[in-house]
Amino acid sequence: MTTEKVKKRYPRPPMSLIESKIPGWEVDIYIGGSTSVADAELLEKHNIKVVLNCAINLDIDLVSSQEPNPPEHLLKHGWAPVRYYKIGMIDGPGNPESMVLAGYHLMRSALDQVLPEKASYKVREKGNILVNCRGGRSRSVTIVALFLHLEYPDRYPTLDSAIAHIREKRELHPDEWYETPKPALIHLAERAASMEKMLRDAGFGQDMRKA
């Protein structure tokens, strides 16, 4: 069965709650696809203040205010109603080995970041986080699964246990598990978990959660 046929046969919400009030940050984690991150009302409804886009082939115009009278040769720019982060991953083979590990650290850093009290930093509230890709089935699942496994090993002792939890919460049907996430991304996530644990054992990148 092709990917498009699987999507039509097994529809899912544009956005799914994966974890509530995660220890150390007390925010909710959501996973979604392109329609979720493009829906301003949906973002507001779920108090999304942080968006991490994992897809290299998906861009979202989140700008809600522009610089006054920008030169004609400049594209629309300004600030968005959320804090927007992006790591451009391919949905399958082709990503550098370190890219998934970078995605984990970007997600974690986005939650830790404290913005200054300046007019140019419009969105300072912590709020919840939405991790998205095009369909919310593979790249975003990979990054969130790695995050859950590394941050909460007592609850998710293996990467597979974190993926299984997300498949349930994201309503991913068993017929599509062969690509949710893609095998190449699972392999990179396993490598990333090993690299992170080696760094921590060596005294680098230790878990600095507030919990």
Side-chain angles (χ1 to χ4, degrees):
M1 187 179 298
T2 66
T3 299
E4 290 304 316
K5 287 181 179 179
V6 167
K7 289 179 182 177
K8 291 178 181 178
R9 184 175 175 185
Y10 306 117
R12 65 190 57 81
M15 179 190 298
S16 303
L17 176 62
I18 306 302
E19 286 285 347
S20 299
K21 304 299 180 186
I22 55 172
W25 292 280
E26 299 304 319
V27 300
D28 299 341
I29 298 175
Y30 290 84
I31 287 179
S34 57
T35 57
S36 67
V37 70
D39 189 334
E41 292 182 358
L42 188 64
L43 297 178
E44 183 177 4
K45 176 182 177 182
H46 294 284
N47 193 33
I48 302 296
K49 297 298 180 183
V50 177
V51 169
L52 171 56
N53 182 351
C54 301
I56 194 170
N57 56 342
L58 175 66
D59 292 298
I60 306 293
D61 181 7
L62 291 168
V63 174
S64 60
S65 70
Q66 300 184 84
E67 296 293 333
N69 302 316
E72 290 185 2
H73 68 281
L74 293 181
L75 298 175
K76 184 178 179 182
H77 61 285
W79 60 274
V82 298
R83 296 189 298 283
Y84 183 65
Y85 305 82
K86 182 170 182 177
I87 181 163
M89 293 168 53
I90 299 166
D91 190 18
N95 297 296
E97 189 174 65
S98 58
M99 184 163 272
V100 172
L101 181 59
Y104 156 70
H105 279 288
L106 182 57
M107 179 176 175
R108 196 176 192 285
S109 298
L111 293 172
D112 280 340
Q113 191 175 44
V114 179
L115 274 67
E117 295 282 342
K118 289 185 177 181
S120 57
Y121 295 93
K122 302 291 186 181
V123 184
R124 290 189 292 271
E125 308 95 322
K126 283 296 181 181
N128 299 321
I129 182 170
L130 168 65
V131 183
N132 79 279
C133 52
R134 183 172 293 278
R137 305 166 67 246
S138 184
R139 287 167 284 192
S140 52
V141 172
T142 300
I143 296 301
V144 175
L146 181 61
F147 177 89
L148 294 179
H149 169 52
L150 290 174
E151 293 299 320
Y152 310 109
D154 290 343
R155 184 171 179 183
Y156 303 104
T158 64
L159 183 68
D160 284 344
S161 63
I163 291 173
H165 170 76
I166 295 172
R167 282 171 172 164
E168 177 184 354
K169 293 294 185 179
R170 184 68 182 125
E171 301 180 34
L172 300 173
H173 193 276
D175 284 0
E176 54 185 334
W177 287 359
Y178 72 94
E179 62 174 5
T180 57
K182 296 291 196 306
L185 295 181
I186 294 176
H187 173 69
L188 290 182
E190 290 170 342
R191 292 283 297 162
S194 297
M195 287 188 285
E196 177 64 16
K197 291 169 186 176
M198 289 176 62
L199 287 170
R200 293 180 184 181
D201 289 343
F204 301 97
Q206 300 98 321
D207 186 359
M208 299 297 288
R209 280 190 289 123
K210 304 176 185 67

